[in-house]
Amino acid sequence: MSSASGGLVTAMDPVLRRRRGTWTGWVGAPNAGQDELSRALGSTPARPPYSLQAVPLSATEEDLFYRGFANEVLWPLFHGFSDRWSSEPRYWEAYRTVNRRFARSLASTVSWDDLIWVHDYHLMLTGKELRALGLNHRLAFFLHIPFPALEHLEEMPWSGELVKALCHFDLLGFQTNGSRSNFLDAARHFVSDAFTEGSGDEHPIFQGRTIRTGAFPISIDAAAFSADTHGSLVTAMEREIRAEMGDRTLILGVDRLDYSKGIPEKLRGFDLALERHPELRGSVLLKQLVVPSRDQIPAYKETKGEIEASVRRINERWGTQAWQPVEYLYDSWSRSELLAHYRTADVALITPLNDGMNLVAKEYAVANQGSGVIILSAFAGAAQELGTDALLVDPCEPGSVAMAIFQAFQMSPRERKERMERARTTVRTHDVHRWVEGFLAEAICAG
Ligand code: GDG
């Protein structure tokens, strides 16, 4: 795939296309510069219509900062995988160095009236670094992943410094109220002097500035998704997929390779559904796309091995000459292929163990023009908005997943249609443009 796949790019690219500004970032490969960043964000060879400022990292920095601190420390810790994070001190040192570099790079290009909006767990120290460089700008931060409970944070020696650094932003945005309130608990614990009399419980004051916090559930460019869904290529692909499927019910899984996405757990639930409900055998197909991601990290390699072994087991157990229950693809699709699958799938099976939001659920709700069913983990941020229209499951309980699969299979066309229409309306009326407007309105009041 030519452009970067991942929730942050999907969300932010349409926003910058509409509002312009400068995207400062690292492309994800050693020593990559402006051209690589442009290629990763736009569809080659076109440059996106906003400015780009690449911050290059060396191979060692990629290893220690990105693979190391961001993805082997913060990612597991913030998703509540206490047994998976690494306490390697070199990772932390690299994280500080790279955050400082980002801050310097930003400081060298901003105009006096710019709002600086920092995204995600990779750059939590930049607010502090920018203030240290003397910047008095409005600084806002949005966390795309969950903010963990204090009991998890306390396990890591650098948490106090991280939380204190976050307090240099004027506005801190989270996906859910739960994450926001976890942050306030952590700030109360690590930066107690910010909660003086007069600051109130909800609005800490740090070094003379009030810190605003809020829940801003991220979304998708629903209108663009909906329009692209009607393209002729998508329609042709949809026909092809449907013809291959025959009368079978297509259950679709689209996940980045990640232990937090609950793919082995999903397969356990599917296996149990086939065991408990013989009607499903020969009548359903689980098509599971796993998009390559962070596959140099041992925990990701293990997860991949686990998924592949589980797919083999299920296909050996239930498969016949005429039918294999799971089609597994370790690949990434073009946008048209992705949309065609969203359109064709009768069920989207989305079972993360913990997820900031999960955009796949929202994309499916908009792109599936028929009457699909969303089976969604209760631990995805998206469950808070789509909860009543999706079938919510506990991904760690195979019985819960199996029951939802059977319920979706049996659901009347009318109920499917009603649920899907409500879900679609929710996403359309809470799209990424509304998200950005809500966030920016708050950011403008801040500072
Ligand atoms: C983080 C948080 C939060 C996936 N495969 C293909 C493809 N994708 C696109 C999807 C979707 C995005 O990647 C994945 O977004 P998610 O939200 O599911 O997950 P993360 O990457 O983990 O994102 C997450 C998000 O940030 C935004 O705040 O929702 O909780 O973890 O847009 O469509 N796109 C294409 N081909 C693929 O094969 N074209």
Side-chain angles (χ1 to χ4, degrees):
M1 197 173 62
S2 62
S3 55
S5 57
L8 194 150
V9 174
T10 310
M12 287 311 296
D13 181 69
V15 170
L16 274 157
R17 279 176 192 274
R18 191 184 268 198
R19 295 177 171 260
R20 305 294 192 249
T22 302
W23 181 313
T24 301
W26 169 63
V27 76
N31 302 313
Q34 218 91 323
D35 287 345
E36 287 84 357
L37 184 60
S38 167
R39 265 198 296 279
L41 292 175
S43 41
T44 29
R47 266 177 181 275
Y50 46 84
S51 312
L52 295 170
Q53 184 189 16
V55 180
L57 302 187
S58 68
T60 309
E61 283 169 339
E62 174 177 357
D63 200 35
L64 302 177
F65 155 77
Y66 178 71
R67 265 199 289 282
F69 200 75
N71 288 328
E72 286 191 69
V73 182
L74 293 176
W75 180 273
L77 189 80
F78 275 46
H79 283 87
F81 294 93
S82 294
D83 51 340
R84 287 193 186 263
W85 68 273
S86 156
S87 56
E88 169 63 60
R90 285 182 316 152
Y91 291 172
W92 169 243
E93 285 314 316
Y95 187 76
R96 289 167 103 174
T97 307
V98 170
N99 271 253
R100 200 167 302 138
R101 173 140 1 112
F102 264 84
R104 290 211 185 107
S105 183
L106 279 164
S108 68
T109 53
V110 281
S111 307
W112 66 271
D113 58 346
D114 280 343
L115 162 73
I116 300 177
W117 186 0
V118 177
H119 286 262
D120 230 2
Y121 60 103
H122 314 79
L123 296 173
M124 290 193 284
L125 303 178
T126 48
K128 172 183 163 221
E129 295 295 343
L130 286 164
R131 295 285 184 231
L133 291 168
L135 261 75
N136 210 14
H137 291 60
R138 268 172 308 198
L139 302 182
F141 176 82
F142 184 76
L143 185 67
H144 290 255
I145 65 173
F147 195 91
L150 186 56
E151 71 197 73
H152 291 302
L153 266 188
E154 275 183 306
E155 294 165 15
M156 188 183 69
W158 309 289
S159 290
E161 203 170 328
L162 272 183
V163 173
K164 199 164 186 173
L166 283 173
C167 290
H168 288 82
F169 287 99
D170 298 298
L171 173 63
L172 294 161
F174 302 92
Q175 301 273 25
T176 61
N177 264 318
S179 282
R180 171 178 179 261
S181 116
N182 283 347
F183 168 77
L184 287 170
D185 288 347
R188 229 170 266 126
H189 180 79
F190 290 113
V191 199
S192 53
D193 52 353
F195 292 83
T196 52
E197 249 177 76
S199 65
D201 233 24
E202 299 271 295
H203 300 288
I205 298 175
F206 182 70
Q207 298 186 352
R209 292 171 182 273
T210 301
I211 311 164
R212 285 171 177 258
T213 57
F216 304 91
I218 201 167
S219 192
I220 59 163
D221 192 346
F225 253 91
S226 187
D228 292 354
T229 299
H230 293 102
S232 55
L233 184 57
V234 175
T235 309
M237 283 176 168
E238 182 193 0
R239 243 183 254 126
E240 237 171 72
I241 303 166
R242 201 16 83 203
E244 275 168 26
M245 287 298 303
D247 287 340
R248 292 197 174 111
T249 297
L250 175 59
I251 304 175
L252 179 68
V254 174
D255 303 276
R256 265 192 317 100
L257 175 66
D258 202 300
Y259 47 82
S260 71
K261 298 290 180 186
I263 308 167
E265 289 76 5
K266 175 187 321 198
L267 291 165
R268 274 197 277 284
F270 183 64
D271 187 29
L272 188 63
L274 294 175
E275 186 181 305
R276 287 191 178 160
H277 305 288
E279 306 90 308
L280 297 177
R281 297 179 208 154
S283 302
V284 296
L285 171 77
L286 170 59
K287 194 166 189 175
Q288 176 64 53
L289 175 73
V290 175
V291 184
S293 166
R294 306 175 196 170
D295 47 9
Q296 300 308 309
I297 298 176
Y300 287 71
K301 285 188 194 152
E302 270 167 39
T303 303
K304 182 168 181 273
E306 207 184 324
I307 294 167
E308 289 169 358
S310 179
V311 170
R312 268 197 306 277
R313 254 195 323 272
I314 297 173
N315 282 341
E316 275 166 21
R317 185 175 181 198
W318 303 110
T320 61
Q321 284 259 318
W323 170 70
Q324 290 288 287
V326 187
E327 186 182 342
Y328 161 77
L329 301 121
Y330 184 65
D331 202 355
S332 63
W333 284 333
S334 67
R335 187 173 162 93
S336 299
E337 272 174 298
L338 182 68
L339 289 173
H341 280 89
Y342 284 155
R343 260 182 79 157
T344 321
D346 303 289
V347 178
L349 185 54
I350 304 163
T351 58
L353 306 182
N354 196 5
D355 212 339
M357 180 52 58
N358 196 292
L359 295 180
V360 171
K362 294 190 171 184
E363 291 167 2
Y364 178 72
V366 167
N368 184 276
Q369 307 284 309
S371 44
V373 181
I374 306 169
I375 300 178
L376 181 60
S377 162
F379 309 124
Q384 304 204 353
E385 289 159 283
L386 300 178
T388 49
D389 305 317
L391 299 179
L392 288 193
V393 295
D394 176 348
C396 297
E397 286 293 334
S400 164
V401 177
M403 195 166 77
I405 291 173
F406 192 55
Q407 202 183 334
F409 180 72
Q410 285 196 314
M411 195 182 281
S412 71
R414 185 172 166 188
E415 185 178 349
R416 286 167 162 261
K417 192 162 177 278
E418 285 172 2
R419 283 175 179 264
M420 205 53 175
E421 270 172 13
R422 285 195 304 265
R424 201 175 301 138
T425 305
T426 303
V427 181
R428 281 204 183 129
T429 51
H430 295 79
D431 70 354
V432 74
H433 300 293
R434 179 164 161 171
W435 170 76
V436 81
E437 271 150 28
F439 187 92
L440 290 180
E442 196 67 28
I444 284 159
C445 297

